[in-house]
Amino acid sequence: MDSAPAGRYLWRSQGHSYGGAALLFHWAVAFLFLAQIPLGYLTQVTESRPALQFQLYQWHKSLGFLVLALSALRLAWLWFDGRPEEAARASPLEKLMASVARITLYAATLLVPLTGWAIASASPLHIPSYAFNLVLVPPLPMAVSDAAEAFWSNLHAILAYCAAALAAIHIAAALDHHFRRKDSTLTRMLRTSAGGNPTKDGSPPMQR
Amino acid sequence: MARFRASTGVCGGLVLLSLAAIDCRATSAADPLEAAAGHYVIERGSEIDFMVAQIGGGGIRGRFPDFSGTFDIMAHDFSKSRVDFTISPASVAANQPRITNFLKSSAVFDAADFPVIRFRSFRVERTGPESARIDGMLTAKGRTLTQSFTASLVHLDGGGIAFHVVGSVYRAAYGMEIGVPIYSNVVRFDMMLKGHRS
């Protein structure tokens, strides 16, 4: 903020720093997406309590639609806002792996809720998707059958658990940067720095 | 002569029968429900259908194939007519097996712990020549509340009678609020109750 055209770029990314909007999108999607993993698991282990299971399903669906909407907005914002330069010095291989992980996680935050939407759309139960009891989400135009529902359910679970594993690696990498390499990879995800201050590892800020 | 007397006797008999038939039709036309007075047992061929609307259109349709009951139609004081009717919620059948199981489960009817749904009327009020409002106590899932249905006569012959009975039940009041507001709180019953005199 010190060198910043005060507050001018608070929501926009610049230099090596993420803007407030990018950070908000990141943490909102991250928190909701990770919360969905145990919630989705609980929907599968509460068959003996059908009322609770039904409620869990509705929360899971509602949060899933929220994740999908936020992820779509996040990508649109990324396209508009651009990405700041990498904060840490890294080998080409590390950069490649980081890019692949990031793109895969972006895709997962879209594909996992989309396959969930497909389950609701393909199910012969025809349970309406009424997100947070506020927004009626129409079904996707697709075949309705028990087999189709089972297919999308399996794909949804596989993608979700793979994404959870990737998210765990992503978190571990962030912690490695912070505690072992002591660079600003994690800290720049925790606060916005409108001036694009130099990072601890001395890499210069990007000039926009 | 003997032949003439026999013929006269047959004619007289026919005349009496015709008069009786005319009288019966006259009574029926004037007051069909009074003509239907008697004690009836509800037949297995009756139909107990219900529908719960869902947001966005459509809904859950189902029926109860297992039920029993009786009703009494009082000739001279119709308001003292009675209905006593029980349904087995374990018999519920929806248009999808998983929905059927959900309806039987503790989330809805809890058929294992509450195996009977019962309706006992306490007042019957005529609302037209062939219709009546039936007020009674409906017991479901351990809760007993006042409930009303409307019955319309659709068929009446010597020993049989059929009523079209409709009514709306607010399920949340019976501890079956699961799914509201995705699914309506209102369960619309549409029944064809057939009875035979006993």
Side-chain angles (χ1 to χ4, degrees), chain A residues 56-144:
Chain A
L56 290 173
Y57 264 121
Q58 304 323 307
W59 277 107
H60 188 62
K61 286 169 70 177
S62 294
L63 292 173
F65 284 117
L66 184 57
V67 168
L68 182 60
L70 286 174
S71 298
L73 285 172
R74 184 189 185 195
L75 286 181
W77 180 256
L78 179 66
W79 176 79
F80 169 75
D81 190 40
R83 283 194 73 244
E85 287 186 352
E86 292 298 331
R89 298 190 189 283
S91 70
L93 180 63
E94 285 176 327
K95 285 182 178 174
L96 176 68
M97 287 172 62
S99 288
V100 168
R102 190 176 58 251
I103 291 167
T104 308
L105 281 171
Y106 281 142
T109 57
L110 289 172
L111 291 177
V112 176
L114 273 174
T115 52
W117 192 1
I119 298 170
S121 305
S123 172
L125 299 180
H126 297 294
I127 297 174
S129 297
Y130 196 34
F132 301 103
N133 290 342
L134 290 172
V135 181
L136 183 62
V137 183
L140 296 168
M142 59 198 317
V144 174

Coordinates of all heavy atoms in Angstrom, one line a residue, chain A residues 56-144:
Chain A
L56 N -28.3 -33.3 3.6 CA -26.9 -33.2 3.2 C -26.8 -33.1 1.7 O -26.0 -32.3 1.2 CB -26.1 -34.4 3.7 CG -25.9 -34.5 5.2 CD1 -25.3 -35.8 5.6 CD2 -25.1 -33.4 5.7
Y57 N -27.6 -33.9 1.0 CA -27.6 -33.8 -0.5 C -28.0 -32.4 -1.0 O -27.3 -31.9 -1.9 CB -28.6 -34.8 -1.1 CG -27.9 -36.1 -1.5 CD1 -28.3 -37.3 -1.0 CD2 -26.9 -36.2 -2.5 CE1 -27.8 -38.5 -1.4 CE2 -26.3 -37.3 -2.8 CZ -26.7 -38.5 -2.3 OH -26.2 -39.7 -2.7
Q58 N -29.0 -31.8 -0.4 CA -29.4 -30.5 -0.8 C -28.3 -29.4 -0.5 O -28.1 -28.5 -1.4 CB -30.7 -30.1 -0.2 CG -31.9 -31.1 -0.4 CD -31.9 -31.7 -1.7 OE1 -31.8 -31.0 -2.8 NE2 -31.9 -33.0 -1.8
W59 N -27.7 -29.5 0.6 CA -26.6 -28.6 0.9 C -25.4 -28.8 -0.1 O -24.8 -27.9 -0.5 CB -26.1 -28.8 2.4 CG -26.9 -28.0 3.3 CD1 -27.8 -28.5 4.2 CD2 -27.0 -26.6 3.5 NE1 -28.4 -27.5 4.9 CE2 -27.9 -26.3 4.5 CE3 -26.3 -25.6 2.9 CZ2 -28.2 -25.0 4.9 CZ3 -26.6 -24.2 3.3 CH2 -27.5 -24.0 4.3
H60 N -25.1 -30.1 -0.3 CA -24.0 -30.4 -1.2 C -24.3 -29.9 -2.6 O -23.4 -29.3 -3.3 CB -23.9 -32.0 -1.3 CG -22.7 -32.4 -2.0 ND1 -21.4 -32.1 -1.6 CD2 -22.5 -33.2 -3.1 CE1 -20.5 -32.7 -2.5 NE2 -21.2 -33.3 -3.4
K61 N -25.5 -30.0 -3.1 CA -25.9 -29.5 -4.4 C -25.8 -28.0 -4.4 O -25.3 -27.3 -5.3 CB -27.3 -29.9 -4.8 CG -27.4 -31.4 -5.2 CD -28.8 -31.9 -5.3 CE -29.6 -31.3 -6.4 NZ -30.9 -31.9 -6.5
S62 N -26.4 -27.3 -3.4 CA -26.4 -25.9 -3.3 C -25.0 -25.3 -3.3 O -24.6 -24.4 -4.1 CB -27.1 -25.4 -2.0 OG -28.5 -25.7 -2.1
L63 N -24.1 -25.9 -2.5 CA -22.7 -25.4 -2.4 C -22.0 -25.7 -3.7 O -21.2 -24.9 -4.2 CB -22.0 -26.1 -1.2 CG -22.5 -25.6 0.1 CD1 -21.8 -26.4 1.2 CD2 -22.2 -24.1 0.4
G64 N -22.3 -26.8 -4.4 CA -21.7 -27.2 -5.6 C -22.1 -26.2 -6.7 O -21.2 -25.7 -7.5
F65 N -23.3 -25.7 -6.8 CA -23.7 -24.7 -7.7 C -23.0 -23.4 -7.4 O -22.6 -22.6 -8.3 CB -25.2 -24.5 -7.8 CG -25.9 -25.6 -8.5 CD1 -26.8 -26.4 -7.8 CD2 -25.7 -25.8 -9.8 CE1 -27.5 -27.4 -8.5 CE2 -26.3 -26.8 -10.5 CZ -27.2 -27.6 -9.8
L66 N -22.8 -23.1 -6.1 CA -22.1 -21.9 -5.8 C -20.6 -22.0 -6.2 O -20.0 -21.0 -6.7 CB -22.2 -21.7 -4.2 CG -21.5 -20.4 -3.7 CD1 -22.1 -19.2 -4.3 CD2 -21.7 -20.3 -2.2
V67 N -20.0 -23.1 -6.0 CA -18.6 -23.3 -6.4 C -18.5 -23.2 -8.0 O -17.6 -22.5 -8.5 CB -18.1 -24.8 -6.0 CG1 -16.8 -25.1 -6.7 CG2 -17.9 -24.9 -4.5
L68 N -19.5 -23.7 -8.7 CA -19.4 -23.6 -10.1 C -19.6 -22.2 -10.6 O -18.8 -21.7 -11.4 CB -20.6 -24.5 -10.7 CG -20.7 -24.5 -12.2 CD1 -19.5 -25.1 -12.9 CD2 -21.9 -25.3 -12.7
A69 N -20.5 -21.4 -10.0 CA -20.7 -20.0 -10.3 C -19.4 -19.2 -10.0 O -18.9 -18.4 -10.8 CB -21.9 -19.5 -9.6
L70 N -18.9 -19.4 -8.8 CA -17.7 -18.7 -8.4 C -16.5 -19.0 -9.3 O -15.7 -18.2 -9.6 CB -17.3 -18.9 -6.9 CG -18.3 -18.3 -5.9 CD1 -17.9 -18.8 -4.5 CD2 -18.1 -16.8 -6.0
S71 N -16.4 -20.3 -9.6 CA -15.2 -20.7 -10.5 C -15.3 -20.1 -11.9 O -14.3 -19.7 -12.5 CB -15.2 -22.3 -10.6 OG -15.0 -22.8 -9.3
A72 N -16.5 -20.1 -12.4 CA -16.7 -19.4 -13.7 C -16.4 -18.0 -13.6 O -15.7 -17.4 -14.5 CB -18.2 -19.7 -14.2
L73 N -16.9 -17.3 -12.6 CA -16.5 -15.9 -12.4 C -15.0 -15.7 -12.2 O -14.5 -14.7 -12.7 CB -17.3 -15.3 -11.2 CG -18.8 -15.1 -11.4 CD1 -19.5 -14.7 -10.1 CD2 -19.0 -13.9 -12.4
R74 N -14.5 -16.6 -11.5 CA -13.0 -16.5 -11.2 C -12.2 -16.6 -12.5 O -11.3 -15.8 -12.7 CB -12.6 -17.6 -10.3 CG -11.2 -17.6 -9.8 CD -10.8 -18.9 -9.1 NE -9.5 -18.8 -8.6 CZ -8.8 -19.8 -8.2 NH1 -9.4 -21.0 -8.2 NH2 -7.6 -19.7 -7.7
L75 N -12.6 -17.5 -13.4 CA -11.9 -17.6 -14.7 C -12.1 -16.4 -15.5 O -11.2 -15.9 -16.2 CB -12.3 -18.9 -15.4 CG -11.8 -20.2 -14.8 CD1 -12.3 -21.4 -15.6 CD2 -10.2 -20.2 -14.8
A76 N -13.3 -15.9 -15.5 CA -13.6 -14.6 -16.2 C -12.7 -13.5 -15.7 O -12.2 -12.7 -16.5 CB -15.1 -14.3 -16.2
W77 N -12.6 -13.4 -14.4 CA -11.8 -12.4 -13.8 C -10.3 -12.5 -14.1 O -9.6 -11.6 -14.3 CB -12.0 -12.4 -12.2 CG -11.2 -11.3 -11.5 CD1 -10.1 -11.5 -10.8 CD2 -11.5 -9.9 -11.5 NE1 -9.6 -10.3 -10.3 CE2 -10.5 -9.3 -10.8 CE3 -12.5 -9.1 -12.1 CZ2 -10.4 -7.9 -10.6 CZ3 -12.4 -7.7 -11.9 CH2 -11.4 -7.1 -11.1
L78 N -9.9 -13.8 -14.1 CA -8.5 -14.1 -14.4 C -8.2 -13.6 -15.8 O -7.1 -13.0 -16.1 CB -8.3 -15.6 -14.3 CG -6.8 -16.1 -14.6 CD1 -5.8 -15.5 -13.6 CD2 -6.8 -17.6 -14.6
W79 N -9.1 -13.9 -16.7 CA -8.9 -13.5 -18.1 C -8.8 -11.9 -18.2 O -8.0 -11.4 -18.9 CB -10.1 -14.0 -19.0 CG -10.1 -13.5 -20.4 CD1 -9.3 -14.0 -21.4 CD2 -10.8 -12.4 -21.0 NE1 -9.5 -13.4 -22.6 CE2 -10.5 -12.4 -22.3 CE3 -11.8 -11.5 -20.4 CZ2 -11.0 -11.4 -23.2 CZ3 -12.3 -10.6 -21.3 CH2 -11.9 -10.5 -22.7
F80 N -9.7 -11.3 -17.4 CA -9.7 -9.8 -17.4 C -8.5 -9.2 -16.7 O -7.9 -8.2 -17.1 CB -11.0 -9.3 -16.7 CG -11.1 -7.9 -16.4 CD1 -11.3 -7.0 -17.5 CD2 -11.0 -7.4 -15.1 CE1 -11.4 -5.6 -17.2 CE2 -11.1 -6.1 -14.9 CZ -11.3 -5.2 -15.9
D81 N -8.2 -9.8 -15.5 CA -7.2 -9.2 -14.6 C -5.8 -9.6 -14.9 O -4.8 -8.9 -14.6 CB -7.6 -9.7 -13.2 CG -6.8 -8.9 -12.1 OD1 -6.6 -7.7 -12.3 OD2 -6.4 -9.6 -11.1
G82 N -5.6 -10.8 -15.5 CA -4.3 -11.4 -15.7 C -3.7 -12.0 -14.5 O -4.2 -11.8 -13.4
R83 N -2.6 -12.7 -14.6 CA -1.9 -13.3 -13.5 C -0.7 -12.5 -13.2 O 0.1 -12.0 -14.1 CB -1.5 -14.7 -13.8 CG -2.7 -15.7 -13.7 CD -2.1 -17.1 -13.7 NE -1.5 -17.4 -12.4 CZ -0.3 -17.7 -12.2 NH1 0.6 -17.7 -13.2 NH2 0.2 -18.0 -11.0
P84 N -0.4 -12.3 -11.9 CA 0.9 -11.6 -11.6 C 2.1 -12.6 -11.9 O 1.9 -13.8 -12.0 CB 0.8 -11.4 -10.1 CG -0.2 -12.4 -9.6 CD -1.2 -12.6 -10.7
E85 N 3.2 -12.0 -11.9 CA 4.4 -12.8 -12.2 C 4.7 -13.8 -11.0 O 4.3 -13.5 -9.9 CB 5.7 -12.0 -12.4 CG 5.6 -11.3 -13.7 CD 7.0 -10.5 -14.0 OE1 7.8 -10.4 -13.0 OE2 7.1 -10.0 -15.1
E86 N 5.3 -14.9 -11.3 CA 5.7 -15.8 -10.2 C 6.5 -15.1 -9.2 O 7.4 -14.3 -9.5 CB 6.4 -17.0 -10.7 CG 5.6 -17.9 -11.6 CD 4.4 -18.5 -10.9 OE1 4.5 -18.7 -9.7 OE2 3.4 -18.7 -11.5
A87 N 6.3 -15.3 -7.9 CA 7.0 -14.7 -6.8 C 8.3 -15.4 -6.6 O 9.4 -14.8 -6.3 CB 6.2 -14.7 -5.6
A88 N 8.3 -16.7 -6.7 CA 9.5 -17.5 -6.3 C 10.3 -17.9 -7.5 O 9.8 -18.0 -8.6 CB 9.0 -18.8 -5.6
R89 N 11.6 -18.0 -7.3 CA 12.5 -18.5 -8.3 C 12.3 -20.0 -8.3 O 12.3 -20.7 -7.3 CB 13.9 -18.2 -8.0 CG 14.2 -16.7 -7.9 CD 15.7 -16.4 -7.9 NE 16.0 -15.0 -7.6 CZ 15.9 -14.1 -8.5 NH1 15.5 -14.3 -9.8 NH2 16.1 -12.8 -8.2
A90 N 12.1 -20.6 -9.5 CA 11.9 -22.0 -9.6 C 12.5 -22.5 -10.9 O 12.7 -21.7 -11.9 CB 10.4 -22.3 -9.6
S91 N 12.8 -23.8 -10.9 CA 13.3 -24.4 -12.1 C 12.2 -24.5 -13.2 O 11.0 -24.4 -12.9 CB 13.8 -25.8 -11.8 OG 12.8 -26.7 -11.5
P92 N 12.6 -24.7 -14.5 CA 11.6 -24.8 -15.5 C 10.6 -26.0 -15.2 O 9.4 -25.9 -15.5 CB 12.4 -25.1 -16.8 CG 13.7 -24.4 -16.5 CD 13.9 -24.6 -15.0
L93 N 11.1 -27.1 -14.7 CA 10.3 -28.2 -14.4 C 9.3 -27.9 -13.3 O 8.1 -28.2 -13.4 CB 11.1 -29.4 -13.9 CG 10.4 -30.7 -13.6 CD1 9.6 -31.2 -14.8 CD2 11.3 -31.8 -13.0
E94 N 9.8 -27.2 -12.2 CA 8.9 -26.8 -11.2 C 7.8 -25.8 -11.7 O 6.6 -25.9 -11.3 CB 9.7 -26.1 -10.0 CG 10.5 -27.0 -9.2 CD 11.3 -26.3 -8.2 OE1 11.8 -25.2 -8.5 OE2 11.5 -26.8 -7.1
K95 N 8.2 -24.9 -12.6 CA 7.2 -24.0 -13.1 C 6.2 -24.7 -13.9 O 5.0 -24.4 -13.9 CB 7.9 -22.9 -14.0 CG 8.7 -21.9 -13.2 CD 9.3 -20.8 -14.1 CE 10.0 -19.8 -13.3 NZ 10.7 -18.8 -14.1
L96 N 6.7 -25.7 -14.7 CA 5.7 -26.5 -15.5 C 4.7 -27.3 -14.6 O 3.5 -27.3 -14.9 CB 6.5 -27.5 -16.4 CG 5.6 -28.4 -17.2 CD1 4.9 -27.6 -18.3 CD2 6.5 -29.5 -17.9
M97 N 5.3 -27.9 -13.6 CA 4.4 -28.6 -12.7 C 3.4 -27.7 -12.0 O 2.2 -28.1 -11.8 CB 5.3 -29.4 -11.6 CG 6.0 -30.6 -12.2 SD 7.2 -31.4 -11.1 CE 6.1 -31.9 -9.8
A98 N 3.9 -26.6 -11.6 CA 3.0 -25.6 -10.9 C 1.9 -25.2 -11.8 O 0.7 -25.1 -11.4 CB 3.8 -24.4 -10.4
S99 N 2.3 -25.0 -13.1 CA 1.2 -24.5 -14.1 C 0.2 -25.6 -14.3 O -1.0 -25.4 -14.4 CB 1.9 -24.2 -15.4 OG 2.6 -23.0 -15.3
V100 N 0.7 -26.9 -14.5 CA -0.2 -28.0 -14.7 C -1.1 -28.2 -13.5 O -2.3 -28.4 -13.7 CB 0.6 -29.3 -15.0 CG1 -0.3 -30.5 -14.9 CG2 1.4 -29.2 -16.3
A101 N -0.6 -28.1 -12.3 CA -1.4 -28.2 -11.1 C -2.5 -27.1 -11.0 O -3.6 -27.4 -10.7 CB -0.5 -28.2 -9.9
R102 N -2.0 -25.9 -11.3 CA -3.0 -24.8 -11.3 C -4.1 -24.9 -12.3 O -5.3 -24.8 -12.0 CB -2.2 -23.5 -11.5 CG -3.0 -22.2 -11.2 CD -2.2 -21.0 -11.3 NE -1.6 -20.9 -12.7 CZ -0.3 -21.0 -13.0 NH1 0.5 -21.3 -12.0 NH2 0.1 -20.9 -14.2
I103 N -3.7 -25.3 -13.5 CA -4.7 -25.4 -14.6 C -5.7 -26.6 -14.2 O -6.9 -26.5 -14.4 CB -4.1 -25.6 -15.9 CG1 -3.4 -24.3 -16.3 CG2 -5.1 -26.0 -17.0 CD1 -2.4 -24.4 -17.5
T104 N -5.1 -27.7 -13.7 CA -5.9 -28.8 -13.4 C -6.9 -28.5 -12.2 O -8.1 -28.9 -12.3 CB -5.0 -30.0 -12.9 OG1 -4.0 -30.2 -13.9 CG2 -5.8 -31.3 -12.7
L105 N -6.4 -27.7 -11.3 CA -7.3 -27.3 -10.2 C -8.4 -26.4 -10.7 O -9.6 -26.5 -10.3 CB -6.5 -26.6 -9.1 CG -5.8 -27.6 -8.1 CD1 -4.9 -26.9 -7.2 CD2 -6.8 -28.5 -7.4
Y106 N -8.0 -25.5 -11.6 CA -9.1 -24.6 -12.2 C -10.1 -25.5 -12.9 O -11.3 -25.3 -12.7 CB -8.5 -23.7 -13.3 CG -7.8 -22.5 -12.8 CD1 -6.6 -22.0 -13.4 CD2 -8.2 -21.7 -11.7 CE1 -5.9 -20.9 -13.0 CE2 -7.6 -20.6 -11.3 CZ -6.4 -20.2 -11.9 OH -5.8 -19.0 -11.5
A107 N -9.6 -26.5 -13.7 CA -10.6 -27.4 -14.4 C -11.4 -28.2 -13.4 O -12.6 -28.3 -13.6 CB -9.8 -28.3 -15.3
A108 N -10.8 -28.6 -12.3 CA -11.5 -29.4 -11.3 C -12.7 -28.6 -10.7 O -13.8 -29.2 -10.5 CB -10.6 -29.9 -10.3
T109 N -12.4 -27.3 -10.4 CA -13.4 -26.6 -9.8 C -14.6 -26.3 -10.7 O -15.7 -25.9 -10.2 CB -12.9 -25.2 -9.2 OG1 -12.3 -24.5 -10.3 CG2 -11.9 -25.4 -8.1
L110 N -14.4 -26.6 -12.0 CA -15.5 -26.5 -12.9 C -16.1 -27.9 -13.2 O -17.4 -28.1 -13.1 CB -15.1 -25.9 -14.2 CG -14.8 -24.4 -14.3 CD1 -14.1 -24.0 -15.6 CD2 -16.0 -23.6 -14.1
L111 N -15.3 -28.9 -13.4 CA -15.7 -30.2 -13.8 C -16.4 -31.0 -12.7 O -17.4 -31.7 -12.9 CB -14.6 -31.0 -14.4 CG -14.0 -30.5 -15.7 CD1 -12.8 -31.4 -16.2 CD2 -15.1 -30.6 -16.8
V112 N -15.9 -30.8 -11.5 CA -16.5 -31.6 -10.4 C -18.0 -31.1 -10.2 O -18.9 -31.9 -10.1 CB -15.7 -31.5 -9.1 CG1 -16.4 -32.2 -8.0 CG2 -14.3 -32.2 -9.4
P113 N -18.2 -29.8 -10.0 CA -19.6 -29.4 -9.9 C -20.5 -29.7 -11.1 O -21.6 -30.0 -11.0 CB -19.6 -27.9 -9.6 CG -18.2 -27.5 -9.8 CD -17.3 -28.7 -9.8
L114 N -19.8 -29.6 -12.3 CA -20.6 -29.9 -13.5 C -21.0 -31.4 -13.6 O -22.2 -31.7 -14.0 CB -19.7 -29.6 -14.8 CG -19.8 -28.2 -15.3 CD1 -18.8 -28.0 -16.4 CD2 -21.2 -27.8 -15.8
T115 N -20.2 -32.3 -13.1 CA -20.6 -33.7 -13.1 C -21.6 -33.9 -12.0 O -22.5 -34.8 -12.1 CB -19.4 -34.6 -12.9 OG1 -18.7 -34.2 -11.7 CG2 -18.5 -34.6 -14.1
G116 N -21.6 -33.1 -10.9 CA -22.6 -33.2 -9.9 C -24.0 -32.7 -10.5 O -25.0 -33.3 -10.2
W117 N -23.9 -31.7 -11.3 CA -25.1 -31.2 -12.0 C -25.7 -32.3 -12.9 O -26.9 -32.5 -13.0 CB -24.8 -29.9 -12.7 CG -25.9 -29.1 -13.2 CD1 -27.3 -29.4 -13.1 CD2 -25.8 -27.9 -14.0 NE1 -28.0 -28.4 -13.7 CE2 -27.1 -27.4 -14.3 CE3 -24.8 -27.1 -14.4 CZ2 -27.4 -26.3 -15.0 CZ3 -25.0 -25.9 -15.1 CH2 -26.3 -25.5 -15.4
A118 N -24.7 -33.0 -13.6 CA -25.1 -34.0 -14.5 C -25.8 -35.2 -13.7 O -26.8 -35.7 -14.2 CB -23.9 -34.6 -15.2
I119 N -25.4 -35.5 -12.5 CA -26.0 -36.5 -11.7 C -27.5 -36.1 -11.5 O -28.4 -36.9 -11.7 CB -25.4 -36.7 -10.3 CG1 -23.9 -37.2 -10.5 CG2 -26.1 -37.7 -9.5 CD1 -23.1 -37.1 -9.2
A120 N -27.7 -34.9 -11.0 CA -29.1 -34.4 -10.7 C -29.9 -34.4 -12.0 O -31.1 -34.7 -12.0 CB -29.0 -33.0 -10.1
S121 N -29.3 -34.1 -13.1 CA -30.0 -34.1 -14.4 C -30.4 -35.4 -15.0 O -31.4 -35.6 -15.6 CB -29.2 -33.3 -15.4 OG -28.8 -32.0 -14.9
A122 N -29.5 -36.4 -14.7 CA -29.7 -37.7 -15.3 C -30.5 -38.6 -14.4 O -30.9 -39.7 -14.9 CB -28.3 -38.4 -15.6
S123 N -30.7 -38.2 -13.2 CA -31.4 -39.1 -12.2 C -32.9 -39.3 -12.5 O -33.6 -38.3 -12.7 CB -31.2 -38.6 -10.8 OG -32.1 -39.3 -9.9
P124 N -33.4 -40.5 -12.6 CA -34.8 -40.7 -12.7 C -35.6 -40.2 -11.6 O -36.9 -40.1 -11.6 CB -34.9 -42.2 -12.9 CG -33.6 -42.7 -13.1 CD -32.6 -41.8 -12.5
L125 N -35.0 -39.8 -10.5 CA -35.7 -39.3 -9.3 C -36.3 -37.9 -9.6 O -37.2 -37.5 -9.0 CB -34.8 -39.2 -8.1 CG -34.3 -40.6 -7.6 CD1 -33.4 -40.4 -6.4 CD2 -35.4 -41.6 -7.3
H126 N -35.6 -37.2 -10.5 CA -36.1 -35.9 -10.9 C -36.2 -34.9 -9.7 O -37.2 -34.1 -9.7 CB -37.4 -35.9 -11.7 CG -37.4 -36.7 -13.0 ND1 -36.7 -36.3 -14.1 CD2 -37.9 -37.9 -13.3 CE1 -36.8 -37.2 -15.0 NE2 -37.5 -38.1 -14.6
I127 N -35.3 -35.0 -8.8 CA -35.3 -34.1 -7.7 C -34.9 -32.7 -8.1 O -33.8 -32.6 -8.7 CB -34.4 -34.6 -6.5 CG1 -35.0 -36.0 -6.0 CG2 -34.4 -33.6 -5.4 CD1 -34.1 -36.6 -5.0
P128 N -35.7 -31.7 -8.0 CA -35.3 -30.4 -8.5 C -34.1 -29.9 -7.8 O -33.8 -30.2 -6.6 CB -36.5 -29.5 -8.1 CG -37.7 -30.5 -7.9 CD -37.1 -31.7 -7.4
S129 N -33.3 -29.2 -8.5 CA -32.1 -28.5 -7.9 C -32.5 -27.1 -7.5 O -32.6 -26.2 -8.4 CB -30.9 -28.5 -9.0 OG -30.6 -29.8 -9.3
Y130 N -32.7 -26.9 -6.3 CA -33.2 -25.7 -5.8 C -32.1 -25.1 -4.8 O -32.2 -25.3 -3.6 CB -34.5 -25.9 -5.0 CG -35.4 -24.7 -4.8 CD1 -35.4 -23.6 -5.7 CD2 -36.2 -24.6 -3.7 CE1 -36.2 -22.5 -5.5 CE2 -37.0 -23.5 -3.4 CZ -37.0 -22.5 -4.3 OH -37.8 -21.4 -4.1
A131 N -31.2 -24.4 -5.4 CA -30.0 -24.0 -4.7 C -30.4 -23.0 -3.5 O -31.0 -22.0 -3.7 CB -29.0 -23.3 -5.6
F132 N -30.0 -23.5 -2.3 CA -30.3 -22.7 -1.1 C -31.7 -22.3 -1.0 O -32.1 -21.3 -0.3 CB -29.4 -21.4 -1.0 CG -27.9 -21.7 -1.1 CD1 -27.2 -21.5 -2.3 CD2 -27.3 -22.2 0.0 CE1 -25.8 -21.8 -2.3 CE2 -25.9 -22.5 0.0 CZ -25.2 -22.3 -1.2
N133 N -32.6 -23.1 -1.5 CA -34.0 -22.9 -1.5 C -34.4 -21.5 -2.1 O -35.3 -20.8 -1.7 CB -34.6 -23.0 -0.1 CG -34.7 -24.4 0.3 OD1 -34.6 -25.3 -0.5 ND2 -34.8 -24.6 1.6
L134 N -33.5 -21.0 -3.0 CA -33.7 -19.7 -3.6 C -33.7 -19.7 -5.1 O -34.4 -19.0 -5.7 CB -32.5 -18.8 -3.1 CG -32.5 -18.4 -1.6 CD1 -31.2 -17.6 -1.3 CD2 -33.7 -17.5 -1.3
V135 N -32.8 -20.5 -5.7 CA -32.6 -20.5 -7.1 C -32.9 -21.9 -7.7 O -32.3 -22.8 -7.3 CB -31.2 -20.0 -7.5 CG1 -31.0 -20.0 -9.0 CG2 -30.9 -18.7 -6.9
L136 N -33.9 -21.9 -8.6 CA -34.2 -23.2 -9.2 C -33.3 -23.3 -10.5 O -33.3 -22.6 -11.4 CB -35.7 -23.2 -9.7 CG -36.2 -24.5 -10.3 CD1 -36.1 -25.6 -9.4 CD2 -37.6 -24.3 -10.8
V137 N -32.4 -24.3 -10.4 CA -31.5 -24.6 -11.5 C -32.0 -25.7 -12.4 O -32.3 -26.8 -11.9 CB -30.1 -25.0 -10.9 CG1 -29.1 -25.2 -12.0 CG2 -29.6 -24.0 -9.9
P138 N -32.2 -25.4 -13.6 CA -32.8 -26.4 -14.5 C -31.9 -27.6 -14.8 O -30.6 -27.4 -14.7 CB -33.0 -25.6 -15.8 CG -32.0 -24.5 -15.8 CD -31.8 -24.2 -14.4
P139 N -32.4 -28.7 -15.1 CA -31.5 -29.9 -15.4 C -30.8 -29.7 -16.7 O -31.3 -28.9 -17.6 CB -32.5 -31.0 -15.5 CG -33.8 -30.4 -15.8 CD -33.8 -29.1 -15.2
L140 N -29.6 -30.3 -16.9 CA -28.9 -30.2 -18.2 C -29.7 -31.1 -19.1 O -30.3 -32.1 -18.7 CB -27.5 -30.8 -18.0 CG -26.6 -29.9 -17.1 CD1 -25.3 -30.7 -16.7 CD2 -26.3 -28.6 -17.8
P141 N -29.7 -30.8 -20.4 CA -30.4 -31.6 -21.4 C -29.6 -32.9 -21.6 O -28.6 -32.9 -22.4 CB -30.4 -30.7 -22.6 CG -29.3 -29.8 -22.5 CD -29.1 -29.6 -21.0
M142 N -30.0 -34.0 -21.0 CA -29.2 -35.2 -21.2 C -30.1 -36.4 -20.9 O -31.2 -36.3 -20.4 CB -28.0 -35.2 -20.2 CG -28.4 -35.1 -18.8 SD -27.0 -34.6 -17.7 CE -25.7 -35.6 -18.4
A143 N -29.6 -37.6 -21.2 CA -30.4 -38.8 -21.0 C -30.6 -39.1 -19.5 O -29.8 -38.8 -18.7 CB -29.6 -40.0 -21.6
V144 N -31.8 -39.5 -19.3 CA -32.2 -39.8 -17.9 C -32.4 -41.3 -17.7 O -33.2 -42.0 -18.4 CB -33.6 -39.1 -17.5 CG1 -34.1 -39.5 -16.2 CG2 -33.4 -37.6 -17.6

